Amino acid sequence: TLLQIGCEDGSVKLFQVVPGGIQFERNLDRRKGRILCLSWHPSETHIAAGSIDALRVFDVSSGQTVQRIMVNYHVQKVQRECIVWSIAFLSSGTVVTSDSFGRVQFWDWERGTLLESHTVSTSAVLSLAVSEKEDSIVVGTSTGATYQFQLLPVKMGSLEKRWVRTKPFQHHTHDVRAVAHSSTALISGGLDAQLVIRPLMEKMQKKGYDAVLRKFTFPHRCLVSCARKARLLLFQFSQYLELWRLGSTDETGKDGEVLPLCRMPEHLVQLKSKGPEHIYCSCVSLCGSWIAYSTASRFHLYRVQYEGDSVSIKKVPKLPKLLLPAYQLQFSSDSSSLFVASARGSVHVLQLLEPGGCKHLHTFQPPSGSPEAVYLLASSADGHWVAAVGGDWAIHVYNLKCFKHHCTVPMYSCAVTALAIHPVTNNLVIAYSDQQLFEFSIPKKQYTAWSRTVQNCGLHKAWLERDSPITHIAFNPKNPSHILLHDIYMFCVLDKSLPLPDNSALLMNQSTLKQLPETARQRQLHAFKICKKFQPLLFADLLDENCLVMVERPIMDIKTQLPLPIQRKKFGT
Amino acid sequence: MVAPATLRVVRCGGSALHGARAVFSADSKYLLCASGDFVKMYSVATEETLRLMGGHADLVTGVQLNPHNHMQLYSSSVDGTIKLWDFMDGIPIKTFTVGSKLLALYALASSEDSVFVVIPKSGERDTFQLVSVKLTKAAGQDLEAKELSVVLDGVDASPKRIAFGREGEYVASVKEVNLQVYFFKQRQLNRFSVSATRTKGGNNHFTCVACHPVEDCIATGHADGKIRLWRNFYHKKEYTFSTLHWHHDTVMDLAFSVEGTSLLSGGVESVLVLWRNESDRQKDFLPRLGSAIEYISMSSDGALCCTLHTDNRITIINSNLRFSKSIQGLIKSRDVKTGLVVDPRTKALVLNGEPGHLQFYCLQSDQQLFSLDIVQRQYIHQAGLNQADLVKVAFSAQGKWLATVEEREEVTDPELQLKLWFYDEETQSFKLNTRINMPHDDHITDMCFRDMDELEDDSLILVTAGRDCVFKVWVMVEDTDPEAQQSVSWSCDFVGSYHNYQATNCCFSEDGSLLAVSFEETVTVWDSVTWDLKCTFCHPPGKIRNICFGRLTCSKYLIGATDYGFLCCWNLLSCALEWSAYLNVLILQPDPLSEYIAAVSWLSKESSLFVFKPNEPRPIYIQRNLCKEKIQLAAFVPRDEPEMIGSEKYLWLRRSQLFFLTDTQELMTLSTKSLEERLTPSSKQLAVEESLPVTPFSLLLGKHRRQQSQKDTGLGKPVRNKHEQDSPAVKELLHTPAHVLPSASFLCPIFINSLLISKENKSAEEVADEVEMESEKTEDDSDEERDVTEMEQEDASPVELLGEMTCKLSKSQEKELRKIRKIDYSWISAF
């Protein structure tokens, strides 16, 4: 309930966390020098602060500096300043620091003595995290390497223990800015836009999803929204939005051919968000005339008008005062209303008025009254239903005609990664993070027969072992049995009319099917038709019956925009 | 035993690889290492070989100090025995027969009366087990040790792949990609493995293992140059390791320092790496150790470390990673291309040493005199890289000129260089005089100087025979270039050829008037003045392999050996074949000081030696089955003084000694002396350091103690010693400059007085006056010296002094007595 803040001017401020905000309590002893990192002692009696060339320990109750340790003392003739980038206060009274000289040092704060010093790198050690049991530490360096330290007994059976640098990992190419230590894994994130989860094999009981190294480059969210009717795509970047008009072709060709474009894709608008805040979510209406986005504190709605080739964009003024921020935005299929998922579990319905105005229509509250933020929304094509998923993973379906709660989908023990309502049957298709798929009939308030067979037969093993979640679900209006799913690495057409594959069958059988004769092909067909041609795939949606839009973001594109990594000689000593 | 006059083959240097890590004696004064069938003891201070302990019938595979008595040594051998030695006296105390091949030996302080050995598992090929052998305490020299208990199964045969941990609590063994750790107390066996797949070009196979002396930490070396430090290995699952990586190729050996604060590692890079605090950021290097490091061992006080190299060199390194000493016998080179050549000046054996170097090996002291860099290019260790190497070497008669040929093997044509070196008296080394690029278009097959002792320098002629079908004659010419620093240089004088055959051998007659050059099947004889072809000989079929002229009384004969197995002797006067014998001669070596010629043949996997005179077709001496290995090279080395040889049969050994180099680069010689005579320990009395290792702290402490003890001993010693040192008269005498001293006769009485034991010490001091002093300085000095030497003897062996005083015995009796006493002593200490 206390928050401490270190400032560039060397002061440490203590804040009380109260419901709805923080409240300044007092200043601790102020000295010269920037404070770069802070750490509470687990008993909350002391605070360790790292600054340049020194670390300080404060007594919380008195606010006095009780110990000041010069980190640089042991290095002679070094003119450079030593920046303590990260600090951790262990319950044993040991203070762990990582500094810009590439050292990880262990101090006894009461005596002010150095217990151990490990030089792990020639470049700075930027981040540090301690495991809950305080027997393992992970540090991240600016060369992209992470190292694990373990507190190991010096001799078998003896109580004397020592910190030993054990495993180095090199999963990053750039600075590792943040590390975390879970009970079974080391998690690191770096400037190279990757989040790496490295499991600790010795803590694993069995092989499974958790026992594999995971690398994430993209958030598990849909960052692209598509205006199907207007053939527009809205790309969400961290600080701005881009609206593009898709190119088109009037030729047809065979499989594998690249068709010439008769109209090139066109960059219509770049919408920059004001201030330093990142854009949290964004959406474009199906007709393309409305764009909404939300940052951490503000919500914006724009009206876009197309006159020939020119585009004009106008901010909608006088937005209703809503509880902020919005976690997800969704336009209704007829572009008449906007659904705003709020941080407090409710869904607001805004009515959009021509020529650029809006009005608060209704707020749906979950019947349980749970305050968990709603992070996914799906609206039906006929404008009857909207489904919302909160942080407690409960899916609520609301009726838009009479503005009341319709039903709740039975709880499942995993997070929902994507959901959509079928335009024809009004079935809610739900994808969970453990790769399970469910189909829920909203009018009948129950799982469909197909969903029950899926649960009875079980999904294919290869499907369940995929490591990236389904981020978007779309439907083929011409063929109601088709469901279009995609994750980062594959695109799948799920045909409900075909039998499910069993574990002995090949899941990804498109290439083998092509070589088979027609009769044999019929026998081999199963429900999952998977295409892995586009990677990493950010978005896929059906524009019309014979046109599918895919958004691919090559990793190399991102890498070229990164700053240069630290240059090292391969055999440099 | 051996009859007195039979000729024995004796190994005298160079040897098969060291079979095990070397050990330092407890006081770090001596280094003990396995060398072939022997255990060699070197002095760390002087690099001398002090003792050669022989007795094993096969390769020695392990050397370990007795942990309960640091004056004793265990050694194990492939012949299935463990021997306990008193290494200070070189006496074997006990022999334990185990029965199966012993491949490694480990002795632990914690195990009372057993040692650990690696033996092959009976009934299975290529599987080995670590067993502990109980050494019985029964009396007697030869004992059976049949009480074996298996500790670990499936271990590797190499001694580097097993290590015992802190206080003998556990043993770690590595094989391929598996590490096994067995805890003795818990009787628990933990197995760990690294992934066998060669990802990213790495090869995870284990190559060696070392255990931390005080902590639970195991260091393992890997084939891809990584070093892994294992900890927490008593948990089957939560074990952990960190990796150190510097070596680019296999880590050959690892050793922890005594306190375990640093780790030493070595490999083919011939760089010793010191890792501090198990961190890969703090490391030190000792580069350019000459050749790949095979074994690393630390002395027990941590002050020294020694590395054994693949070329048989031993390097002793200080604790601060400074090169200290190098014990090098015959350096093992990859291929002895130069043959065995005797340097006429030093009588040292000259052959290939380090890559591109010429080593001068002293036979008497079994030491390398020096190494001459011929190629003068940095040697780069890299697989598949062709580097220039020395292939031929020749000395002029007095050793004033040295000719060398180096070549670099290229796919298309070889790169050749002929260098001529002049011996510089001032610097006492050879100086490059002339460098000739591409002296021949193809490989040079032979090279010789005209060997004429009495002739002037100008008449010195060098002949090279090449595979490009010519032989070339090189002579010295006055240098006309005024800028040249030297007065003479070498240039080609004559090119001879014969029917476009490849020239294979060349040889001058003793008086230098004739040159014999063999061209494939034909031997041609040329006049060395006019370069006319005199006559030709041949003995078809078969190409000429070796030729040589007879010497002294037999100088009219030319001997040749063909590769069809004929030895022919031609008479130069009659130009006819004198005799021929059917013999597959590999080596034909004439003795430079007599008319005898030695021929070594290779038939049905054994070498035989024949010694004959050219004028008699019957050999004087035949020794069949000289040794099992193929003999590669042989040389006669002139003796310093003719040896007295009783038997008529061995008269050919009177003036020179014959040395052989085998395939494994062991140097052998023939000796008439019996085994006992050769093996008698050197007369040097080894000072026995009874005290345990000296540490800097104990030195400090010891200084204090010694002062005390000196006071004590001072009482027992004759007063004379103390008095003499204290006497101011003597002091004055010694410190006053000679030119101000009074005459000797004047000083003499004062000096004598000072030596006398006076009732009052004062009197001598009073008399001592500078003006009065007078002395024959030399005499006094000598007196003084004598006293000092006497004193030293007394100091060194006070025990012996007592022995001498008790009874006067004859020399032999005394020797016997001493031997018995020493055996007794070690017996006591063993139990």
Side-chain angles (χ1 to χ4, degrees), chain A residues 119 150 154-156 162 166, chain B residues 214-216 240 242 281:
Chain A
T119 307
Q150 281 177 282
V154 165
K155 287 176 193 174
M156 186 172 41
R162 189 134 57 83
T166 51
Chain B
V214 285
E215 291 173 20
D216 283 341
T240 180
S242 50
R281 300 283 151 200

Side-chain angles (χ1 to χ4, degrees), chain B residues 469 497-502 519 522 524 533 536:
Chain B
C469 308
S497 68
Y498 182 76
H499 288 286
N500 217 12
Y501 288 135
Q502 292 187 349
F519 288 92
T522 322
T524 54
L533 181 60
T536 61

Side-chain angles (χ1 to χ4, degrees), chain A residues 135-136 148-150 152 166-167 169 181 183-186 198-206 211, chain B residues 232 235-241:
Chain A
D135 60 352
S136 173
Q148 193 191 359
F149 285 81
Q150 281 177 282
L152 296 175
T166 51
K167 292 174 207 120
F169 305 107
H181 198 306
S183 59
T184 56
L186 310 177
R198 158 81 206 192
L200 296 168
M201 287 307 179
E202 68 267 18
K203 308 278 189 199
M204 293 288 161
Q205 297 307 318
K206 58 182 196 319
Chain B
N232 230 14
H235 291 285
K236 280 212 160 123
K237 208 163 162 60
E238 294 202 7
Y239 69 89
T240 180
F241 61 78

